[in-house]
Amino acid sequence: MIEARRLHILRAVADHRTVTAAAAALYLTPSAVSQQLAALEQETGHRLVERSARGVRLTPAGDILLSHANAVLAQLERAESELAAYGSGEAGTVTVASFATGIGLVVAPALTALAGCAPGIRVRVQDAEGDASLRMVLDRQVDVAVAVEYRGAPRADDPRLTRVPLYAEPFDAVLPPGHRLAEADRVAVADLAGDPWIGPYPGNPCHDVVVLACEYAGFQPRLEHSSDDFRAVVALASAAAGVALVPRSALRDMDLTGVVVRPLDDVAPTRRVFAAVRRGAEDHPLFHPVLTALREAAAAQG
């Protein structure tokens, strides 16, 4: 008999690519993860993982088992949801991980709405970048992620996750006040090819959006300054350190007196934001109201 707990460990190893990283995500020791993998291999009668200097990868037998593990774990989430509904499920704690702008734009308004319509649900919020929050959901560190589309993100049909679209927003150009294009009504990304750039660190989903926008315009941006804090990005632009592309919502309620903000003349890069839960958990009586409140908060933003 295959234990579901070991299937979860197998999936974590496949996601993180190393036993050490999987163990850290699951709050286990590496030796405990290795023991559980060995027990799973004994249960199935197949070698499931291969170790190398680069980490761990699944064997063909491991890939077969992983596909079934995703279905089994999703069904267990559904079972927990139905049991919670049977027991009323009107009170409990839901943990939401979101990037900072998402917290301000949709998570905080959702909390206000939930206080009125579902007072028994307590929401705990953690600040996490859009790529990190999805991993936190899969590792059961949080219940709901507010995340961003990025290069390498799980696809919309990923069997591990259920996604709820929230909103999409364009990036605007942020320029120093004395920039040669400061008087233009709109700015083309290609016209910024020769400028120094300010942007998020690699690994941040917005970094991918900026780099791809520049690649589509025919150049590689010369990123001279890096920060994941858009207030810092705007401050650097105001000091004439370079130009930047910033999501429009991140500029709300920010002091922009030292910079020039212009919409883009060509097809603007877009930040697409969604909420995600583990597949099968979308109808959980605690999670469903939170997802609904997030979706309604996003719709209210227009």
Side-chain angles (χ1 to χ4, degrees):
M1 179 70 70
I2 298 175
E3 290 191 15
R5 178 168 58 100
R6 291 173 181 154
L7 294 178
H8 182 57
I9 290 172
L10 178 71
R11 186 163 78 178
V13 169
D15 287 343
H16 292 278
R17 303 294 184 182
T18 71
V19 169
T20 301
L26 298 174
Y27 300 102
L28 297 171
T29 64
S31 62
V33 170
S34 294
Q35 290 171 9
Q36 293 299 318
L37 287 174
L40 186 58
E41 289 181 329
Q42 187 173 5
E43 288 173 345
T44 61
H46 292 279
R47 187 180 181 189
L48 302 174
V49 297
E50 292 180 343
R51 292 171 172 81
S52 69
R54 295 184 176 181
V56 177
R57 68 181 182 88
L58 298 190
T59 65
D63 286 330
I64 291 172
L65 184 58
L66 179 63
S67 67
H68 290 284
N70 289 327
V72 169
L73 293 173
Q75 190 60 40
L76 287 174
E77 293 284 356
R78 295 186 187 98
E80 290 182 9
S81 298
E82 290 189 20
L83 287 171
Y86 178 77
S88 79
E90 295 178 354
T93 300
V94 178
T95 305
V96 178
S98 172
F99 58 100
T101 308
I103 291 174
L105 198 64
V106 295
V107 177
L111 264 61
T112 301
L114 287 166
C117 68
I121 297 179
R122 178 187 175 214
V123 179
R124 297 178 57 201
V125 180
Q126 297 185 22
D127 188 339
E129 289 300 331
D131 54 339
S133 61
L134 294 176
R135 190 73 64 204
M136 294 167 74
V137 166
L138 290 171
D139 291 337
R140 302 184 69 89
Q141 296 173 1
V142 301
D143 304 307
V144 181
V146 175
V148 179
E149 288 281 7
Y150 61 95
R151 184 160 41 185
R155 295 170 31 148
D157 60 352
D158 190 296
R160 303 169 297 171
L161 295 166
T162 293
R163 294 171 31 158
V164 176
L166 295 179
Y167 64 92
E169 60 174 330
F171 283 61
D172 289 326
V174 178
L175 312 173
H179 194 273
R180 65 188 181 281
L181 299 176
E183 300 302 322
D185 292 332
R186 306 178 74 85
V187 173
V189 174
D191 291 338
L192 302 174
D195 288 276
W197 280 72
I198 312 158
Y201 284 102
N204 185 311
C206 288
H207 174 90
D208 287 344
V209 174
V210 171
V211 170
L212 283 172
C214 294
E215 289 176 354
Y216 289 147
F219 69 98
Q220 286 283 340
R222 179 161 50 93
L223 283 163
E224 293 197 356
H225 309 282
S226 298
S227 175
D228 288 334
D229 184 336
F230 287 119
R231 292 185 183 277
V233 170
V234 169
L236 288 168
S238 71
V243 300
L245 298 183
V246 177
R248 187 165 293 172
S249 68
L251 297 171
R252 293 186 184 183
D253 303 322
M254 195 183 295
D255 182 5
L256 301 174
T257 54
V259 295
V260 174
V261 178
R262 293 289 181 265
L264 295 174
D265 191 35
D266 33 20
V267 178
T270 301
R271 176 161 73 169
R272 301 187 185 280
V273 180
F274 59 92
V277 296
R278 292 179 295 276
R279 181 67 62 93
E282 58 273 12
D283 292 325
H284 191 287
L286 292 179
F287 304 163
H288 182 73
V290 173
L291 292 173
T292 299
L294 290 169
R295 186 170 55 243
E296 292 176 350
Q301 298 297 324

